[in-house]
């Protein structure tokens, strides 16, 4: 059976990536996580774009394991912050991975921003690297607006303050399958499906 | 004698604005600060641009006092943050006016940003509003790079981490008169001089 490595150490994000791929019924492909392969050195995420970071992560993973590897880099692009936190979304408050501190900081920075300027987009770049084969990076975007307080407990990151276009609920109030159908990560991963399916041809 | 109101409540910024105007020898114009006029309500700085905020402040001051009024809005535009903190420079860390917290946050956000991507510019929009007369907004910029730690104790805000182009010292290590000759605020205010001089003609 063909194995596909999904290269993320973020447990919630890995769960989401697996769930989206599973929903697409990738028959003949076994999705494995970084916990299923020997450890390897990973370069820090210092790229200026989501695409650079996703590609670097997928290349590292493919080179170290010899497996076709998918990686993503994603974040929140806030209009009133000129598209930031962007690639710094996971470390916006300074440290790395403190979702609550990052979200609180964005809310504080936008405290004087009027409703009509609270637009934002979740952005996901997803990269597929096949050892000695092709490299591909795609992008998914999900537009919405930012609330002034949190709502909902699904999801992670900035989900509790993001209301997608066409919705009244935050992305943390959507069911996982609803989120996957709409989200930046769902869109990006589905754009990789033709190439993923070609791995088992 | 013609009176000119410099509308800032930031003591260090007011000092700098007065110093720059004094150095230009505005004979026949008495520069007064907000402490010299009765209090008036000021709108919050919610504009999307430095220019909007500077103009709003100068309009409020001119309407309330009947005096020709100068106001500035200024901040640090960091390349790797897509031009932010920008108009949020004074409240980047959430609260308002905590220079140290704001500077620490920028350093933390840029901790993984390589030297070649640490460019930034100080930007100042200066507005002059003459009651029942003209309105003018000009912009001054000062390019440089950001260090990884603070140096120097002159100036305020982000001065201790900003090394201007053509300099090896930070703007907090420059003498006040050196800073004024180069700075975004000096450039913007000098661009207003012809109109300021015309007030006493």
């Amino acid at each position: 059976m063909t194995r596909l490595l999904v290269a993320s150490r973020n447990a919630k994000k890995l769960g989401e990536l697996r769930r989206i791929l599973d929903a697409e019924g990738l028959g003949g492909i076994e999705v494995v996580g970084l916990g299923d392969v020997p450890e390897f050195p990973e370069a820090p995420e210092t790229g200026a774009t989501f695409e650079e970071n996703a590609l670097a992560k997928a290349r590292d993973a493919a080179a170290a394991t010899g497996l076709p590897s998918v990686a993503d880099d994603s974040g929140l692009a806030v209009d009133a912050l000129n598209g930031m936190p962007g690639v710094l979304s996971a470390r916006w408050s300074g440290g790395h991975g403190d979702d609550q501190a990052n979200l609180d900081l964005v809310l504080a920075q936008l405290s004087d921003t009027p409703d009509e300027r609270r637009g934002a987009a979740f952005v996901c770049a997803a990269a597929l690297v096949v050892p000695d084969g092709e490299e591909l990076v795609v992008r998914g975007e999900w537009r919405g607006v930012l609330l002034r307080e949190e709502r909902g407990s699904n999801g992670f990151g900035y989900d509790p303050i993001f209301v997608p276009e066409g919705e009244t609920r935050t992305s943390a109030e959507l069911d996982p399958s609803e989120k996957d159908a709409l989200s930046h990560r769902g869109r990006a991963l589905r754009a990789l499906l033709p190439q993923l399916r070609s791995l088992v041809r």
Side-chain angles (χ1 to χ4, degrees), chain A residues 41-76:
Chain A
E42 291 167 86
E45 292 180 15
T46 59
T49 63
F50 295 114
E51 283 80 356
E52 262 181 84
N53 285 330
L55 193 55
K57 276 190 274 187
R59 280 179 181 157
D60 282 355
T65 65
L67 295 176
S69 299
V70 169
D72 94 316
D73 192 40
S74 48
L76 182 69

Side-chain angles (χ1 to χ4, degrees), chain A residues 2-3 18 27 36 44 60 72 75 83-84 93 101-102 117 122 127 137 143 150 158 162 185 189-191 193 199:
Chain A
T2 303
R3 297 170 79 206
R18 273 179 181 278
D36 304 318
D60 282 355
D72 94 316
M84 303 302 295
S93 60
N102 292 331
R117 291 205 287 113
F122 273 126
V137 193
R143 288 286 311 172
E150 300 169 55
Y158 301 93
F162 180 83
R185 199 165 287 116
L189 285 182
R190 282 190 294 274
L193 285 177
L199 294 177

Side-chain angles (χ1 to χ4, degrees), chain A residues 160-184:
Chain A
I161 57 172
F162 180 83
V163 175
E165 277 183 355
E167 265 298 329
T168 54
R169 295 170 294 174
T170 68
S171 50
E173 292 175 313
L174 299 181
D175 292 333
S177 63
E178 289 179 298
K179 183 184 177 190
D180 296 345
L182 299 167
S183 80
H184 54 313

Side-chain angles (χ1 to χ4, degrees), chain A residues 77-84 106 109-121 143-148:
Chain A
V78 177
D79 296 351
L81 301 176
N82 290 353
M84 303 302 295
V106 166
Q109 289 171 327
L110 297 190
S111 59
D112 290 333
T113 302
D115 289 350
E116 65 273 19
R117 291 205 287 113
R118 297 181 73 87
R143 288 286 311 172
V145 297
L146 298 181
L147 299 181
R148 294 180 186 275

